[in-house]
Amino acid sequence: GAGVSQSPSNKVTEKGKDVELRCDPISGHTALYWYRQSLGQGLEFLIYFQGNSAPDKSGLPSDRFSAERTGGSVSTLTIQRTQQEDSAVYLCASSFAPVSRTGASYEQYFGPGTRLTVT
Amino acid sequence: SQKIEQNSEALNIQEGKTATLTCNYTNYSPAYLQWYRQDPGRGPVFLLLIRENEKEKRKERLKVTFDTTLKQSLFHITASQPADSATYLCVYDYKLSFGAGTTVTVRA
């Protein structure tokens, strides 16, 4: 079956503009996660969706960042008034099972990412 | 606070040898650990999950062990190949809380 898809694959935008990044998870996967990764760095967790709700959005860096998920499927990450420090690869992942009460998750399947460059 | 550490940032190994990576955790008893592989410019790829009541898990040339007494998981790549060169990540929670992982380079 199809894997996780993300669009666009690359996005170059001017500082101050808004951008929308899209994630299409694997069909049937209830959990969806957004991360970002700067060059040479580890993954930085942004937000976790279970269905259409976001039990944990603690990783969103500022109120310029928001995300939503509709129909328990597609998710959109929106960055308003982009800054140069927002430049990174934004990765989306999905998993079949929800996060457990202890915070553990089953395997996550990642999309190819969106490379965002803010000039 | 919960903490997970991998033994080194880089591991260089000759083709055909076994690469062994170590993941230690403190102040936490994870129900299971996961190992991922990440290639440059790509998202992580899930490799193996091992539960606390499992001593060992295998997948092709990969083997993972979980020692709850030592609070340690070992990840082995046997008969390593240049194509195994990548960064390997040990994680325990849904935030994939880990450092930059261990970068393995297999020399031909």
Side-chain angles (χ1 to χ4, degrees):
Chain A
V4 177
S5 61
Q6 292 185 246
S7 61
S9 55
N10 278 287
K11 177 71 176 179
V12 180
T13 190
E14 291 180 353
K15 177 182 173 181
K17 300 282 190 183
D18 298 351
V19 295
E20 280 191 355
L21 311 180
R22 176 189 167 106
C23 172
D24 220 318
I26 292 173
S27 178
H29 279 197
T30 61
L32 185 147
Y33 315 79
W34 282 98
Y35 303 87
R36 72 177 178 181
Q37 188 169 35
S38 301
L39 191 63
Q41 302 299 310
L43 286 179
E44 177 186 0
F45 167 80
L46 297 178
I47 187 170
Y48 153 60
F49 284 94
Q50 178 55 37
N52 291 335
S53 64
D56 188 349
K57 54 180 77 171
S58 63
L60 296 177
S62 73
D63 58 8
R64 296 187 295 104
F65 288 73
S66 63
E68 65 173 11
R69 188 179 185 195
T70 56
S73 181
V74 172
S75 176
T76 302
L77 177 68
T78 302
I79 309 173
Q80 295 179 309
R81 304 181 303 282
T82 52
Q83 303 294 313
Q84 289 187 328
E85 60 262 29
D86 299 334
S87 296
V89 175
Y90 288 79
L91 291 159
C92 173
S94 68
S95 64
F96 178 74
V99 170
S100 75
R101 285 175 296 174
T102 60
S105 78
Y106 287 93
E107 54 264 38
Q108 297 185 24
Y109 296 87
F110 282 79
T114 294
R115 183 174 299 277
L116 175 67
T117 304
V118 182
T119 62
Chain B
S1 60
Q2 302 163 1
K3 192 174 182 183
I4 195 163
E5 291 181 321
Q6 292 189 237
N7 60 325
S8 64
E9 293 185 357
L11 180 65
N12 295 299
I13 192 166
Q14 185 71 38
E15 182 176 10
K17 302 292 185 182
T18 296
T20 298
L21 287 66
T22 305
C23 177
N24 295 296
Y25 55 93
T26 57
N27 299 326
Y28 187 69
S29 296
Y32 47 82
L33 289 172
Q34 302 182 52
W35 286 87
Y36 287 77
R37 166 187 174 140
Q38 187 172 23
D39 293 280
R42 305 182 71 117
V45 174
F46 171 79
L47 296 176
L48 284 165
L49 180 152
I50 185 164
R51 302 175 193 282
E52 61 178 344
N53 61 351
E54 296 175 317
K55 296 294 184 190
E56 183 180 295
K57 206 82 170 279
R58 290 177 184 260
K59 178 182 177 181
E60 298 172 352
R61 295 181 294 106
L62 306 179
K63 184 177 84 170
V64 173
T65 61
F66 196 172
D67 190 325
T68 55
T69 301
L70 294 178
K71 292 185 180 294
Q72 182 181 84
S73 175
L74 299 180
F75 179 85
H76 305 274
I77 307 171
T78 60
S80 60
Q81 304 169 0
D84 295 327
S85 299
T87 297
Y88 293 85
L89 313 163
C90 169
V91 304
Y92 69 89
D93 71 358
Y94 68 94
K95 295 183 179 182
L96 300 190
S97 303
F98 48 69
T102 300
T103 298
V104 174
T105 302
V106 181
R107 304 186 307 273

